Amino acid sequence: MPSADPTAHAGAAVPATADVNAGAGSNARFDADSDAGSGVDSSTGADADSGADSDADSGADSDADSGADSGAAGHGEDTMDLWLPDELLALVADGTSGRHGVGRPDQGTDDLLDRVVDWGPTDTPAGVFHLVPVRVQRDPPLISRWMNDPAAAAFWELSGPQKVTEDHVLSQLAGDGRSVPCIGVLDGTPMSYWEIYRADLDPLARHYPARPHDTGLHLLIGTVADRGRGLGGLLLRAVADLVLARRHSCARVIAEPDIRNTPSVAAFLTAGFRFSAEVEVPGKRAALMVRDRSLRHLM
């Protein structure tokens, strides 16, 4: 599920105004109101308060739905020159950018997910959060850096050369819109990788009692500094609620983190998901986590 390289390079002096806040392991700032974007996995990075890299699903294709309690077996005018890093320059250096310096996503429409690109920002206790669909020309270097963190590599299995990440993202962008990879931007700073997907149209649906329009989440918290402080659970709740608010036909948001990834499972529980079952999916035994529309105000 990977992507491509920025045209601008770190070390290039560019005029800047205001402050550039650090984030995602660098001084990158990303306007959370941008039109386009960038994009997780449940068995890797949903970060819980435990400090381990949060996993929001592993690659098994998504956080599985689980109303399946029955079918599974327990189942961010003076100017000065600032030296900006690759990530920031890659995010803003695009001649076809939209109103906030970010171009439209590579895929045309994603009607199968009610156009994630138009979902917009949402307020959270940690700041304004925005899911921004991945751009192949811009985001792979950043995503690849995150995937090469040992904690992420253990569950996502996308470490190695940047091409590994690019191929992964391209495989999603080349599809019919049933999976949309995104960069999670918190108060203007890119800090997480997400995959929003149609679980009912995913191979995962063979392994649990899927319902029409089940929507899955994969999450990877990008840097160690953002892990272990409750951001995973907080953002999972915010995104699950965003899915339910924007996708009226969706009754459940699901996830299928690796059962061994206890920080991830804990983050989903903190986010109001319920444990539905343990399910066998390709490459792992997963905890099927479900957030129900009908219970979202109670959990």
Side-chain angles (χ1 to χ4, degrees):
M1 310 193 255
S3 233
D5 194 10
T7 56
H9 299 281
V14 301
T17 59
D19 59 321
V20 179
N21 296 340
S26 74
N27 293 328
R29 288 282 296 178
F30 195 83
D31 192 326
D33 290 325
S34 70
D35 290 327
S38 238
V40 179
D41 186 57
S42 81
S43 15
T44 314
D47 159 320
D49 289 326
S50 70
D53 178 301
S54 110
D55 119 290
D57 173 284
S58 97
D61 273 75
S62 104
D63 302 282
D65 128 273
S66 139
D69 290 338
S70 58
H75 337 11
E77 164 177 338
D78 295 326
T79 63
M80 60 183 176
D81 286 344
L82 296 178
W83 296 91
L84 303 180
D86 282 342
E87 299 99 284
L88 178 56
L89 295 178
L91 289 169
V92 299
D94 186 337
T96 61
S97 344
R99 60 192 173 106
H100 291 294
V102 183
R104 302 297 292 178
D106 293 290
Q107 67 262 55
T109 61
D110 54 272
D111 289 340
L112 290 174
L113 282 158
D114 300 299
R115 293 190 53 79
V116 175
V117 67
D118 293 332
W119 286 7
T122 186
D123 291 328
T124 78
V128 177
F129 184 76
H130 196 174
L131 283 173
V132 186
V134 165
R135 285 184 64 80
V136 173
Q137 301 88 344
R138 181 192 63 202
D139 301 319
L142 178 59
I143 301 171
S144 180
R145 180 181 304 176
W146 291 343
M147 291 296 181
N148 275 281
D149 181 290
F155 294 100
W156 284 79
E157 300 181 351
L158 289 174
S159 60
Q162 181 178 311
K163 188 176 187 304
V164 174
T165 302
E166 291 176 355
D167 288 346
H168 174 81
V169 174
L170 281 169
S171 70
Q172 296 184 69
L173 297 178
D176 57 8
R178 69 184 63 192
S179 180
V180 180
C182 299
I183 292 296
V185 179
L186 184 61
D187 277 345
T189 299
M191 48 73 66
S192 55
Y193 172 73
W194 298 74
E195 290 169 2
I196 314 299
Y197 65 93
R198 283 286 297 273
D200 60 323
L201 302 178
D202 189 269
L204 175 65
R206 303 176 192 142
H207 304 280
Y208 82 100
R211 298 179 188 172
H213 295 283
D214 278 351
T215 304
L217 302 180
H218 294 160
L219 165 63
L220 170 65
I221 298 294
T223 61
V224 174
D226 285 325
R227 302 175 197 150
R229 56 193 189 97
L231 275 180
L234 186 154
L235 295 180
L236 283 167
R237 179 181 291 271
V239 171
D241 287 348
L242 190 60
V243 169
L244 295 172
R246 302 302 186 194
R247 301 206 67 236
H248 304 297
S249 56
C250 172
R252 304 185 303 182
V253 181
I254 65 163
E256 34 90 15
D258 193 304
I259 195 71
R260 300 167 301 167
N261 194 333
T262 53
S264 179
V265 174
F268 279 105
L269 291 171
T270 299
F273 285 71
R274 60 182 173 81
F275 172 77
S276 172
E278 286 189 23
V279 295
E280 291 290 346
V281 297
K284 69 179 181 183
R285 185 163 184 79
L288 188 61
M289 310 299 296
V290 182
R291 183 155 172 75
D292 302 279
R293 177 183 293 278
S294 60
L295 300 177
R296 70 191 187 283
H297 297 308
L298 301 177
M299 300 176 67

